[in-house]
């Protein structure tokens, strides 16, 4: 391919926002290696991903030995493995030959590398010191790494769901207002900030409001910015150097445990501090996401008030009409103590209501008629919820058919009845003793 300058490769491959470890310690090396690797067609992103995995497994082998020299070599190999892990994505962006399978492969290999290195690092220290706390540390590292990435994927999924719902409602309102289909669009504040990372949110919103025909800007982080006004200044200061505000992410967590800890000779302390910092930042992200869901609810109430449930968490009225509850319009039962009241004199108990409403008599009705009457009474007494009350409700099927099919038993062999002892046998004239 055509030779590109280092500045051009950085502009094409480096992210606008990235972890501070990547910006300061990885990108200066990775971009230069990308310029070199891009000249060879046989070097593909997937092959670089495989190389990153093998180097990471090599670092795990040195971690398992446990001595300081092996730990230092393992830390160096882990850093090289991470550089290769960053190169595969940059190479795919530069050449345009990335794939969905490559993204999945990169994600899975990252988890495999962390798993083996955590077990090897803590297992090696356990073999040297015989302290069980290192085994617990291995479990903590693997758990927090999995939690971090699973939580990130789930929050991203929920954000996309909120955006899609707002887009659907907004586009429907624009269509009702007579806006042409090619002019219909939805503008989110996070998209504007991504395109203009150093701009103020209120400035972008005011500029959008002055444009003719510009739709309303949807801000799903308004409450967070209003609650923490200093965050915008902090964010802008970091973004000038491409560093994202999330200072302790999964990347920094791994680097501190697998590089800093082995190099300074304090694996357990570094792991504990990294775990606390990662947990604190994860709580901040969860809090920010919670505020975002509140902004989403207020936005939906304003755009489509009829589609937002106003009785969320309440019990449907029909579910409150049980044996121990009164239905609307019923009179109260006698106010007697729990030890003396048996329900026989209560006109609103289960048995009394059944007898009063149907005057059931076992002598005049067949068993099947009684079952049908009971099913009918139960359906009337406790009706199924309306679709709006419980959209996921599906009534249980009746355990028995309404009209059982008649069985022809003429073909069955007759089994002689065995008389009880002391009874006279009619056929033989003998008695059983």
């Amino acid at each position: 391919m055509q030779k590109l300058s280092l500045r051009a490769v950085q502009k094409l491959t480096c992210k606008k926002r990235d972890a501070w470890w990547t910006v300061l310690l990885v990108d200066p090396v990775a971009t230069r290696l990308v310029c070199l690797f891009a000249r060879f067609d046989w070097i593909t992103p997937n092959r670089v991903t495989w190389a990153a995995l093998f180097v990471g497994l090599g670092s795990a082998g040195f971690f398992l030995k446990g001595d300081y020299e092996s730990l230092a070599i393992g830390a160096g190999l882990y850093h090289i493995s991470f550089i290769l892990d960053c190169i595969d994505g940059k190479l795919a962006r530069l050449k345009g030959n990335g794939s969905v399978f490559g993204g999945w492969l990169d994600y899975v290999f990252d988890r495999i590398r962390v798993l083996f290195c955590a077990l090897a690092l803590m297992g090696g220290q356990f073999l040297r010191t015989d302290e069980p706390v290192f085994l617990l540390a291995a479990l903590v590292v693997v758990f927090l790494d999995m939690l971090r990435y699973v939580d990130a994927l789930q929050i991203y999924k929920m954000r996309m769901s909120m955006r899609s719902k707002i887009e659907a409602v907004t586009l429907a309102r624009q269509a009702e207002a007579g806006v042409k289909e090619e002019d219909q669009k939805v503008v989110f504040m996070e998209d504007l900030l991504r395109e203009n990372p150093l701009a103020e949110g209120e400035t972008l919103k005011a500029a959008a409001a002055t444009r003719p025909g510009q739709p309303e800007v949807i801000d799903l982080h308004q409450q967070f910015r209003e609650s923490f006004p200093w965050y915008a200044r902090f964010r802008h200061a970091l973004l000038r150097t491409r560093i994202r505000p999330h200072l302790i992410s999964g990347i920094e967590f791994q680097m501190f445990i697998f590089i800093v800890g082995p190099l300074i000779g304090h694996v357990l302390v570094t792991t504990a501090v990294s775990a606390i910092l990662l947990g604190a930042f994860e709580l901040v992200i969860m809090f920010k996401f919670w505020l975002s869901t509140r902004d989403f609810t207020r936005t939906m109430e304003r755009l489509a008030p009829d589609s937002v449930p106003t009785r969320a968490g309440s019990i449907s009225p029909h579910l409150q009409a049980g044996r121990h509850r009164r239905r609307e319009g019923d009179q109260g039962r006698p106010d007697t103590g729990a030890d003396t009241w048996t329900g026989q004199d209560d006109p609103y108990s289960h048995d009394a209501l059944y007898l009063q409403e149907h005057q059931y008599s076992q002598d005049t009705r067949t068993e099947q008629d009684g079952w049908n009457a009971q099913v009918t009474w139960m359906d009337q007494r406790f009706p199924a919820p309306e679709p709006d009350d419980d959209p996921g409700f599906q009534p249980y099927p009746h355990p028995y058919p309404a009209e059982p099919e008649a069985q022809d038993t003429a073909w069955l062999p007759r089994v002689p009845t065995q008389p009880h002892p002391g009874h006279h046998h009619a056929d033989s004239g003998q008695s059983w003793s």
Side-chain angles (χ1 to χ4, degrees):
M1 63 178 298
Q2 184 180 1
K3 185 177 180 179
L4 297 174
S5 64
L6 179 61
R7 184 177 297 273
V9 172
Q10 291 175 344
K11 187 176 181 179
L12 292 173
T13 62
C14 293
K15 301 177 182 178
K16 293 183 178 180
R17 296 183 302 172
D18 212 337
W20 63 266
W21 185 281
T22 304
V23 172
L24 300 178
L25 302 175
V26 175
D27 281 349
V29 179
T31 51
R32 288 171 170 80
L33 291 177
V34 168
C35 295
L36 176 62
F37 293 166
R39 301 176 183 177
F40 305 97
D41 294 335
W42 58 272
I43 300 181
T44 62
N46 286 349
R47 290 177 178 176
V48 176
T49 303
W50 279 99
L53 174 65
F54 291 141
V55 176
L57 295 179
S59 67
F62 282 95
F63 285 152
L64 188 59
K65 296 181 179 181
D67 59 281
Y68 180 76
E69 292 77 10
S70 299
L71 292 179
I73 296 174
L77 289 177
Y78 195 90
H79 188 60
I80 295 175
S81 173
F82 184 69
I83 291 177
L84 293 174
D85 187 35
C86 294
I87 288 176
D88 58 3
K90 297 180 184 299
L91 192 62
R93 287 190 290 271
L94 181 62
K95 288 187 172 183
N97 58 351
S99 63
V100 176
F101 177 77
W104 172 84
L105 196 70
D106 182 49
Y107 175 80
V108 173
F109 282 3
D110 286 348
R111 308 284 70 75
I112 294 176
R113 180 180 58 196
V114 171
L115 174 63
F116 276 85
C117 287
L119 295 177
L121 178 61
M122 303 304 172
Q125 296 304 302
F126 170 74
L127 294 176
R128 286 179 60 86
T129 62
D130 201 25
E131 295 184 6
V133 67
F134 285 102
L135 301 180
L136 178 62
L139 296 177
V140 171
V141 171
V142 175
F143 170 76
L144 289 179
D145 180 74
M146 295 293 182
L147 176 65
R148 164 73 189 105
Y149 283 92
V150 169
D151 183 49
L153 291 176
Q154 188 65 19
I155 288 180
Y156 174 78
K157 178 182 177 181
M158 293 296 102
R159 290 191 186 280
M160 293 299 102
S161 176
M162 292 189 296
R163 284 175 60 106
S164 62
K165 292 179 181 179
I166 292 177
E167 288 177 353
V169 174
T170 305
L171 294 178
R173 293 185 61 186
Q174 293 177 2
E176 293 177 358
V179 180
K180 297 180 180 179
E181 185 176 357
E182 58 270 14
D183 296 333
Q184 297 177 7
K185 60 180 177 179
V186 185
V187 180
F188 289 92
M189 177 62 70
E190 54 187 315
D191 295 336
L192 296 178
L193 290 176
R194 191 177 295 108
E195 297 172 359
N196 307 276
L198 298 179
E200 295 285 347
E202 296 300 328
T203 304
L204 294 174
K205 185 180 295 186
T210 57
R211 300 175 186 174
Q214 180 73 13
E216 176 189 2
V217 177
I218 305 299
D219 190 0
L220 294 179
H221 299 287
Q222 180 177 357
Q223 188 174 0
F224 180 80
R225 278 192 288 270
E226 292 176 352
S227 303
F228 306 96
W230 54 267
Y231 175 77
R233 297 189 296 271
F234 174 71
R235 176 178 177 274
H236 293 162
L238 293 178
L239 290 181
R240 290 189 178 93
T241 56
R242 293 196 307 113
I243 297 177
R244 62 188 180 189
H246 190 189
L247 296 179
I248 305 296
S249 63
I251 294 176
E252 289 81 8
F253 177 68
Q254 296 177 31
M255 301 306 116
F256 270 85
I257 292 176
F258 300 123
I259 296 179
V260 177
L263 289 178
I264 66 176
H266 296 283
V267 175
L268 197 60
V269 175
T270 306
T271 301
V273 173
S274 302
I276 293 174
L277 292 177
L278 180 66
F281 270 84
E282 287 302 305
L283 290 177
V284 172
I285 291 178
M286 294 177 186
F287 176 71
K288 185 179 179 182
F289 176 67
W290 174 67
L291 294 180
S292 180
T293 59
R294 299 183 64 181
D295 289 330
F296 166 74
T297 303
R298 284 193 295 268
T299 302
M300 291 296 294
E301 289 177 349
R302 179 170 46 84
L303 296 176
D306 296 337
S307 64
V308 180
T310 58
R311 300 176 63 241
S314 63
I315 301 177
S316 301
H318 73 281
L319 295 178
Q320 305 196 26
R323 179 184 180 122
H324 63 292
R325 297 182 182 270
R326 303 189 189 101
R327 294 175 60 90
E328 294 184 3
D330 289 345
Q331 302 295 329
R333 72 182 184 185
D335 187 11
T336 58
D339 297 333
T340 61
W341 181 77
T342 61
Q344 297 177 356
D345 299 330
D346 184 7
Y348 299 98
S349 67
H350 179 276
D351 298 332
L353 282 171
Y354 179 74
L355 293 175
Q356 290 175 9
E357 293 181 15
H358 294 276
Q359 295 296 322
Y360 179 76
S361 175
Q362 191 69 27
D363 297 334
T364 59
R365 296 191 180 190
T366 64
E367 182 178 356
Q368 187 60 45
D369 292 339
W371 170 254
N372 293 337
Q374 185 176 3
V375 169
T376 304
W377 176 81
M378 291 292 290
D379 291 340
Q380 295 175 355
R381 186 65 178 170
F382 305 105
E386 297 296 333
D388 293 338
D389 294 337
D390 190 358
F393 175 81
Q394 294 182 356
Y396 289 102
H398 293 304
Y400 304 102
E403 297 181 359
E405 298 180 358
Q407 299 287 340
D408 185 10
T409 59
W411 59 275
L412 295 175
R414 184 176 181 82
V415 179
T417 304
Q418 295 291 339
H420 294 284
H423 288 194
H424 180 74
H425 196 280
D427 295 336
S428 62
Q430 299 176 359
S431 61
W432 299 85
S433 58

